[in-house]
């Protein structure tokens, strides 16, 4: 999607009550209820952010109410810069009097200074690992650990020499990324080993990002007006890229978005897809700082002598949500208010931007649940759209996520549906064909559709089979729930059994249509030689037409439904032995025949025993007599006692026509 197609997530609003001038940096703490502002003359103040005053209600914005002045300025007019609110440390940290200075963010009491950072040029923190890094004028990288003690809040751990003063930097739990004039470098904070990371022409911002969709943690590095992502484990650039209209001054992570401040605009990209979402024009004003309104579990990287404080941490994407940001110039502060997540998702779904909607829901899971967003329905709608476009594999991926009922998915593939397969009551052949937008015509698209349907059915089969087993044993819904839904136990049981039969049968059919032919032979044998509910009349002819390489699968199908007469009439060399694909050799055929006849001979069912000694309909010889003539050793093995073949055929002719053989022994 483009920036114009995505509903604008941010609304720029005026903030009243701010009285400072010459603002250098700001930080927001306490879930957006407190705002700290530092000026270029050394003044540090704290405001309360109120949304319940008459002015705030009138403007649907925020009014700032001055609480306390922490510093009245410094004699030599040194600025208060690089302010960072570390919520889990209960600390406000910044560069004051050119040193790292710490305040208790709740009591606003000064906790002390890190004197080694005199003439501090840059600072960054990694809140989850309690680490702070600073660079002083002597080109030394100082690595501190947050101690929290009232007298010594920061403990110096490491002191490393640098080749130059970096333009920007950001740290993780064990490394720090440094942006020099022509390149980015990475240093291990413990050992001080410095290595080249990336060549660049204009470094300005480094920001750690949380993992997204299973990816490893990344670092976003600006190179001019381009954004390059680096894998923090491999220390190598990834394929991902984004761009801005100008080199960014700073970047904030406002999940689910990346918000960048450039000289003339605030530019928004979505975090998952890196799509440009919005550009808020702010003009050529002296905008100096951008900070998020919520700070919990954060990682911070600072840029350009000012800072790029961004929230991070391994679980950041899943656990936090920023609903507003503050934008400050030298004389004023504005509010960038985030549209509610549920409203953004609704607008994206209405415009069929399902991928973007799901990306937001993935990054803001807790907020999506709180807003009552029906994520499975979005997956299902996206799946249907992708199916119409012919992207079958992607479509079934979303059907799996949504747990779309199997009958709905199967009906989207009418060209694969056997005409005589019994379907659950909820099925509608005409509706399915219409929804499918036509069947896959050419062989390539047909095999792709079959492969996708196979993937879906393999995914849902265990759940569907378990439900059918439960209902066969008398389980299922409570009586009250059945009454409310207006169904009887027999109707519920019938629907579950027919659905399980449809899933198993369609899995056989779909595998037969996968390319290349015979590629899913062993999977099909595994299915049919174990407990299954395949419909014999639908699957039998298809397996028979599939050729000699599917003879074993056909025999297992007949065994699973107790059709031993069909097994014995099919069990001939002409039908089962061949040279194509994975067809049986003659020895494999004799071995399987011996195992099968032995299973019948030691069966508790007298009719099964008689089949071994009685001529089959298409032969004058009894099956065992023929085997004794062709392979005496395997023929004699039929009568030898010992462990029973696990491929025991079902007794009494199958399970009400739904199949149900035991686990099988492949020969």
């Amino acid at each position: 999607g483009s920036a114009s197609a995505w509903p604008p997530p941010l609304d720029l609003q005026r903030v009243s009550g701010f009285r400072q001038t010459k603002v250098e940096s700001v930080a927001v703490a306490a879930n957006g209820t407190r705002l700290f502002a530092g000026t270029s003359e050394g003044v540090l103040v704290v405001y309360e952010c109120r949304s319940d005053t008459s002015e705030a209600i009138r403007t649907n914005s925020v009014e700032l109410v001055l609480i306390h002045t922490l510093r009245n300025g410094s004699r030599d007019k040194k600025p208060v810069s690089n302010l960072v609110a570390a919520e889990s440390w209960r600390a406000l940290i910044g560069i004051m009097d050119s040193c790292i200075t710490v305040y208790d963010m709740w009591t606003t009491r000064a906790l002390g200074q890190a004197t080694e950072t005199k003439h501090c040029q840059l600072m960054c923190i990694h809140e989850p690992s309690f680490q702070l890094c600073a660079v002083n004028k002597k080109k030394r990288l100082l690595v501190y650990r947050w101690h929290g003690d009232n007298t010594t809040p920061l403990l110096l751990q490491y002191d490393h020499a640098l080749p130059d003063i970096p333009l920007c930097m950001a740290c993780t739990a064990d490394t720090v990324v440094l942006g020099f004039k022509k390149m980015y470098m990475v240093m291990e904070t413990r050992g001080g080993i410095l290595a080249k990371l990336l060549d660049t022409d204009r470094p300005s911002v480094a920001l750690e990002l949380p993992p997204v969709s299973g990816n490893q943690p990344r670092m976003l590095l600006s190179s001019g007006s381009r954004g390059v992502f680096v894998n923090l484990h491999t220390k190598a650039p990834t394929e991902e890229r984004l761009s801005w209209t100008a080199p960014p001054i700073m970047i904030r992570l406002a999940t689910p978005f990346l918000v960048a401040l450039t000289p003339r605009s605030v530019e928004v990209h979505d975090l998952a897809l890196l799509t440009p979402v919005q550009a808020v024009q702010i003009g050529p004003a002296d905008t100096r700082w951008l900070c998020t309104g919520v700070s919990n579990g954060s990682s911070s990287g600072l840029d350009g002598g000012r800072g790029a404080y961004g929230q991070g941490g391994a679980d950041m994407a899943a656990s936090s949500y920023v609903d507003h940001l503050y934008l400050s110039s030298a004389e004023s502060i504005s509010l960038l208010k985030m549209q509610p997540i549920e409203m953004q998702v609704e607008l994206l779904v209405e415009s069929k931007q399902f991928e973007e909607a799901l990306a937001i829901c993935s990054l803001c899971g807790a907020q999506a649940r709180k807003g009552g967003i029906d994520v499975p329905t979005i997956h299902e709608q996206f799946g249907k759209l992708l199916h119409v476009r012919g992207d079958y594999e992607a479509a079934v991926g979303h059907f799996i996520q949504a747990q779309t009922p199997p009958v709905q998915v199967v009906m989207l593939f009418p060209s694969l549906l056997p005409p005589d397969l019994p379907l659950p009551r909820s099925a509608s052949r005409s509706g399915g064909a219409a929804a499918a937008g036509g069947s896959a015509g050419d062989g390539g698209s047909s095999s792709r559709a079959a492969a996708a349907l196979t993937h879906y059915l393999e995914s849902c089969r265990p759940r569907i089979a378990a439900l059918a087993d439960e209902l066969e044993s008398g389980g299922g819904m409570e009586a009250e729930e059945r009454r409310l839904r207006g169904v009887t136990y027999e109707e519920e049981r019938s629907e579950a059994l027919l659905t399980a039969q449809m899933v198993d049968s369609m899995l056989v059919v779909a595998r037969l249509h996968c390319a290349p032919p015979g590629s899913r032979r062993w999977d099909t044998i595994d299915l049919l030689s174990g407990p299954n509910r395949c419909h014999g009349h639908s699957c039998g002819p298809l397996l028979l037409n599939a050729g000699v390489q599917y003879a074993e699968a056909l025999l297992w199908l007949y065994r699973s439904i107790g059709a031993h007469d069909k097994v014995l009439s099919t069990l001939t060399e002409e039908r089962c032995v061949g040279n194509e694909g994975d067809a049986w050799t003659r020895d494999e055929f004799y071995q399987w025949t011996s195992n099968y006849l032995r299973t019948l001979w030691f069966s508790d069912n007298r009719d099964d025993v008689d089949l071994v000694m009685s001529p089959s309909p298409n032969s004058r010889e009894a099956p065992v007599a023929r085997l004794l003539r062709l392979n005496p050793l395997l023929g004699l093995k039929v009568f030898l006692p010992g462990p029973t073949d696990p491929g025991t055929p079902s007794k009494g002719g199958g399970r009400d026509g739904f199949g149900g053989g035991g686990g099988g022994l492949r020969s």
Side-chain angles (χ1 to χ4, degrees):
S2 64
S4 58
W6 193 301
L10 296 178
D11 181 25
L12 183 62
Q13 299 178 353
R14 183 180 66 87
V15 171
S16 60
F18 192 66
R19 300 289 181 263
Q20 302 329 116
T21 59
K22 301 181 181 179
V23 174
E24 184 73 17
S25 67
V26 295
V28 178
N31 291 326
T33 61
R34 286 191 172 192
L35 183 143
F36 296 88
T39 74
S40 60
E41 295 181 340
V43 175
L44 178 61
V45 295
V46 56
Y47 284 85
E48 185 178 8
C49 307
R50 300 282 298 274
S51 58
D52 57 351
T53 65
S54 58
E55 178 65 15
I57 294 171
R58 186 182 67 81
T59 59
N60 189 31
S61 184
V62 169
E63 182 177 5
L64 299 179
V65 179
L66 183 64
I67 299 175
H68 185 52
T69 299
L70 282 70
R71 290 168 53 96
N72 286 312
S74 58
R75 295 177 183 177
D76 50 5
K77 304 293 185 181
K78 290 183 179 178
V80 174
S81 62
N82 292 61
L83 285 178
V84 174
E87 294 276 0
S88 63
W89 303 0
R90 281 190 45 160
L92 175 73
I93 305 170
I95 301 176
M96 305 172 204
D97 295 327
S98 77
C99 281
I100 301 294
T101 305
V102 183
Y103 282 83
D104 185 305
M105 71 163 57
W106 290 101
T107 66
T108 67
R109 184 170 63 88
L111 298 180
Q113 289 187 326
T115 56
E116 302 90 351
T117 62
K118 191 68 176 175
H119 304 297
C120 183
Q121 306 295 306
L122 278 177
M123 177 194 80
C124 65
I125 74 168
H126 188 256
E127 196 172 336
S129 64
F130 301 98
Q131 182 168 272
L132 181 147
C133 297
V135 176
N136 63 19
K137 195 175 182 179
K138 297 179 180 180
K139 303 179 185 178
R140 307 293 298 186
L141 175 68
L142 306 172
V143 182
Y144 291 86
R145 179 172 178 80
W146 174 255
H147 185 248
D149 184 86
N150 288 338
T151 56
T152 312
L154 293 169
L155 297 178
L156 181 62
Q157 288 188 303
Y158 309 109
D159 182 345
H160 303 302
L162 296 176
D164 200 352
I165 295 176
L167 302 175
C168 62
M169 70 177 183
C171 60
T172 68
D174 51 11
T175 61
V176 58
V177 174
L178 304 151
F180 296 103
K181 291 179 181 178
K182 294 293 183 181
M183 70 180 71
Y184 282 99
M185 302 188 79
V186 59
M187 176 184 280
E188 296 177 8
T189 52
R190 179 185 294 270
I193 301 173
L194 196 62
K196 181 179 173 181
L197 192 61
L198 181 73
D199 285 320
T200 180
D201 51 357
R202 296 174 64 185
S204 60
V205 178
L207 175 68
E208 185 193 9
L209 297 177
V212 175
S213 301
N215 293 333
Q216 293 179 330
R218 303 166 295 169
M219 184 75 74
L220 171 60
L221 308 176
S222 71
S223 177
S225 58
R226 294 185 308 114
V228 180
F229 293 84
V230 174
N231 185 311
L232 291 176
H233 288 174
T234 63
K235 307 296 189 293
T238 70
E239 297 296 321
E240 301 165 302
R241 296 289 187 274
L242 57 79
S243 62
W244 303 280
T245 58
I249 300 169
M250 58 187 63
I251 305 172
R252 299 292 181 259
L253 176 59
T255 305
F257 301 108
L258 284 169
V259 183
L261 174 63
T262 69
R264 292 178 176 268
S265 62
V266 174
E267 301 180 20
V268 185
H269 289 74
D270 87 282
L271 180 59
L273 307 176
L274 305 181
T275 307
V277 172
Q278 183 182 13
V280 180
Q281 300 302 317
I282 57 176
D286 59 342
T287 303
R288 300 188 176 204
W289 206 265
L290 179 69
C291 64
T292 54
V294 177
S295 169
N296 49 2
S298 64
S299 153
S300 167
L302 299 206
D303 54 72
R306 295 178 178 171
Y309 168 57
Q311 295 158 307
D315 60 350
M316 190 64 191
S319 64
S320 73
Y321 169 66
V322 172
D323 62 1
H324 59 279
L325 302 94
Y326 286 97
L327 182 67
S328 76
S329 67
E331 311 293 333
S332 66
I333 288 185
S334 301
L335 178 69
L336 286 165
K337 192 171 184 179
M338 189 81 73
Q339 296 292 341
I341 284 294
E342 54 269 30
M343 181 183 296
Q344 294 185 52
V345 170
E346 182 180 350
L347 292 171
L348 288 168
V349 169
E350 285 179 358
S351 59
K352 298 189 183 304
Q353 293 177 271
F354 300 114
E355 187 175 13
E356 291 84 350
L358 290 170
I360 288 182
C361 294
S362 174
L363 290 165
C364 302
Q367 196 69 21
R369 289 188 293 272
K370 183 179 177 182
I373 298 172
D374 188 353
V375 177
T377 296
I378 301 174
H379 275 294
E380 194 167 293
Q381 289 178 283
F382 194 18
K384 290 178 179 177
L385 178 64
L386 291 168
H387 177 273
V388 170
R389 293 175 178 173
D391 192 350
Y392 304 121
E393 186 61 34
V396 301
H398 288 283
F399 293 143
I400 291 170
Q401 290 278 346
Q403 290 197 348
T404 304
V407 66
Q408 294 184 23
V409 178
V410 166
M411 298 307 291
L412 292 173
F413 298 89
S415 62
L416 298 175
L417 195 62
D420 53 352
L421 176 65
L423 296 172
R425 287 176 52 195
S426 52
S428 168
R429 291 184 188 275
S430 59
S439 60
D442 62 273
S445 60
S446 176
S447 64
R448 286 191 300 106
L453 184 57
T454 297
H455 178 203
Y456 169 80
L457 294 171
E458 287 174 343
S459 173
C460 74
R461 183 176 183 254
R463 173 171 54 88
I464 299 302
L467 178 60
D469 290 342
E470 181 184 358
L471 280 158
E472 273 197 318
S473 62
M477 291 184 285
E478 297 292 334
E480 179 63 18
E481 186 177 355
R482 285 198 193 98
R483 187 185 66 79
L484 292 173
R485 295 191 180 191
V487 296
T488 65
Y489 168 75
E490 287 303 323
E491 289 172 336
E492 183 190 4
R493 179 180 182 276
S494 173
E495 185 77 5
L497 294 178
L498 284 170
T499 299
Q501 178 180 255
M502 178 194 69
V503 166
D504 284 1
S505 303
M506 287 302 299
L507 187 49
V508 170
V509 173
R511 285 171 173 170
L512 285 172
H513 284 82
C514 287
S519 60
R520 306 305 295 270
R521 171 178 175 263
W522 286 115
D523 292 333
T524 305
I525 292 171
D526 277 335
L527 169 66
L528 294 171
S529 62
N532 72 86
R533 291 179 168 84
C534 285
H535 186 249
H537 294 299
S538 300
C539 298
L542 295 173
L543 289 168
L544 186 61
N545 292 333
V548 68
Q549 62 182 331
Y550 274 94
E552 183 180 358
L554 179 62
L555 292 169
W556 279 115
L557 171 67
Y558 290 152
R559 285 183 70 169
S560 71
I561 61 176
H564 301 301
D565 56 335
K566 291 189 175 183
V567 175
L568 293 171
S569 63
T570 305
L571 202 57
T572 64
E573 289 185 45
E574 294 76 19
R575 291 188 176 188
C576 299
V577 178
N579 297 319
E580 58 184 79
D582 291 324
W584 269 340
T585 64
R586 184 172 284 102
D587 288 342
E588 289 172 333
F589 166 72
Y590 291 150
Q591 181 68 51
W592 195 95
T593 303
S594 176
N595 288 341
Y596 172 62
L597 294 178
R598 185 171 179 277
T599 302
L600 293 177
W601 180 253
F602 287 99
S603 170
D604 295 332
N605 189 324
R606 184 64 192 177
D607 291 338
D608 290 350
V609 176
D610 291 343
L611 289 172
V612 177
M613 307 299 292
S614 304
S616 57
N618 59 344
S619 174
R620 295 181 180 180
E621 281 184 299
V624 71
R626 186 169 184 274
L627 182 60
L628 283 165
R629 177 170 55 82
L630 297 173
N631 193 316
L633 182 61
L634 290 176
L636 288 172
K637 187 179 176 183
V638 172
F639 304 104
L640 295 178
T644 304
D645 178 358
T648 303
S650 60
K651 301 181 179 77
R655 294 163 53 181
D656 300 321
F658 288 93
L665 174 67
R666 274 208 310 268
S667 303

